[in-house]
Amino acid sequence: MDYGDYEGVMGLEVHAHLLTKSKIFCGCSTEFGAEPNSHTCPTCMGLPGALPVLNKKVVEFAIKLGLALNCSISPTSIFARKNYFYPDLPKGYQISQYEEPICNNGWLDIFVNGQAKRIRILRIHMEEDAGKLVHERTIDTSSYSMVDYNRSSTPLLEIVSEPDLRTPEEATAYLKALRDILMYLDICDGNMEEGSFRCDANVSVRKKGADAFGTRAELKNLNSFRFIERSLDYEISRQIDLIKKGGTVIQETRLFNAEQGVTYSMRGKEEAHDYRYFPEPDLLPVAVDDAWVESIKKTLPELPMEKMERFMREYGLPRYDVEILSSDRELARYFEEVLALFPDAKTVSNFIMTELLRELKNGNVSPKDSPVKPAQFAELLSLIKDGTISNKIGKEIFPDLYRSGASPGQYVREKGLLQISDEGAIVGIIDAVIARSPKEAADFRAGKEKLLGFFVGQVMKETKGKANPALLNELLLKKLKG
Ligand code: ADP
Ligand code: MG
Ligand code: ZN
């Protein structure tokens, strides 16, 4: 998107739910969707006298992400109380980190329109989530709210970027890259509908080339990629229009209305919270030694960006392909498993990006659960390559193979789909087709070479698409010209 003389400036605050089995300060389960208030205890319900005990896994996950995002890991970090009142926050404060977070000063490289850009990460800190309010309206339209503390004290990482993003596309690319990394690391499921990955965006605008930033508005609770891009675009345009009309942007918190496609003010600066942060007296400072960081470093998997670069280097694939193949760790694994059996990277990539991804997306299925396993996928490609079936047939039968999980070899034999590569058989059909199309044959011989397609089509129709195309072309030309 282009905003003329102006540009957007955005910094994002992302909240990621961690895939730990238990909560951050107690032993309760973090499982989603359980009976309301069944995963609770005095600590996560904030009962007086209950004390928090830090879950070590949360620290490990924070360090993992910090390393993946090139941050420095603080040897000591401090938990702090963020005080505010809300019914889903039983203690009256959220335990978070404030002045001394666990990770600082990293970066994440993104690609937009084939161009690399480095987005700096300001900080990553650990905190607990609040409970959830469920609002009900009765038949006489009076309403009431219920509170479910299952989510109370589930662990979160908050990842705060520097205001380095300039367009909604960059913001989306950043979020996708960050989500991919969290999922690669196996520390967050990335599920936006369930709120496991959500984002607040700080947005301001300025004249292109200006040094100073403008006043920012904060857009809260963006939880789908489509809405994020739309709401950012709307907000940038709104601020530019406002300034052009002589108005000034005010610092406020806004929400996005997806139906109307607009943002609206939720609260202004005057109503902004004063959180009265202070160090959490019930938790010791978090001490992380080098040995621990080093041992976690050794467990880091190959990350999406590294995988992309390796796929381009080792397999000679274009960026477009590797961006898709490496976006999902399971898809990348599938690709390499097929490749081990059928070492033609571009063919494998093409077939995965078209046939396989279409079926997976239709059913919202992960590549690891594909009914067509890598071995069958490779078998299908081999059948095409050795001429047993045509490429066209290979594509046509893919949905059926996917549904049935059948062996490709057996399937094509049973359905009689074997490609006809027998010269005699093809010549017989060609002769018949030419005999019943004398006008076209004469026109072809008189120079209307386009008509070759007509003859190819006729023979293919006769053979239900099974004639070997290369052989057919060669024989047809011989017959028509000869
Ligand atoms: P706060 O504590 O009020 O949330 P921070 O300084 O931590 O403020 O910044 C929060 C986010 O706002 C960061 O992601 C930062 O990059 C972003 N940000 C700061 N200033 C601006 C600005 N002028 N325009 C857009 N984003 C900004
Ligand atoms: Mg903020
Ligand atoms: Zn608990």
Side-chain angles (χ1 to χ4, degrees), residues 22-28 41 43-44 50-55 58 79-80 91 93-97 126-129 152-155 280 282-283 286:
S22 56
K23 295 184 177 182
I24 182 168
F25 300 125
C26 63
C28 293
C41 73
T43 302
C44 57
L51 291 172
V53 177
L54 178 59
N55 181 343
V58 174
F79 279 103
K91 294 193 293 293
Y93 58 85
Q94 176 195 28
I95 304 180
S96 180
Q97 296 193 301
M126 303 175 277
E127 63 184 26
E128 60 179 338
D129 206 350
S152 172
S153 284
T154 53
E280 166 59 60
D282 291 338
L283 287 166
V286 183

Side-chain angles (χ1 to χ4, degrees), residues 9-13 122 160-163 202-204 213-216:
V9 172
M10 284 153 282
L12 303 185
E13 297 166 87
L122 182 63
V160 184
S161 84
E162 295 278 4
N202 294 273
V203 184
S204 64
F213 289 138
T215 306
R216 69 182 141 125

Side-chain angles (χ1 to χ4, degrees), residues 3 6-11 166 201-207 213-219 231-254 263-264:
Y3 301 104
Y6 286 84
E7 66 179 2
V9 172
M10 284 153 282
R166 294 290 171 270
N202 294 273
V203 184
S204 64
V205 299
R206 64 177 174 186
K207 270 256 165 80
F213 289 138
T215 306
R216 69 182 141 125
E218 186 176 15
L219 300 186
S231 58
L232 293 176
D233 179 46
Y234 176 88
E235 181 58 21
I236 292 170
S237 306
R238 183 190 72 85
Q239 294 185 11
I240 293 171
D241 284 350
L242 187 64
I243 292 171
K244 281 186 176 162
K245 284 188 193 128
T248 41
V249 175
I250 55 166
Q251 194 172 337
E252 61 181 350
T253 303
R254 298 177 71 86
T263 64
Y264 62 95

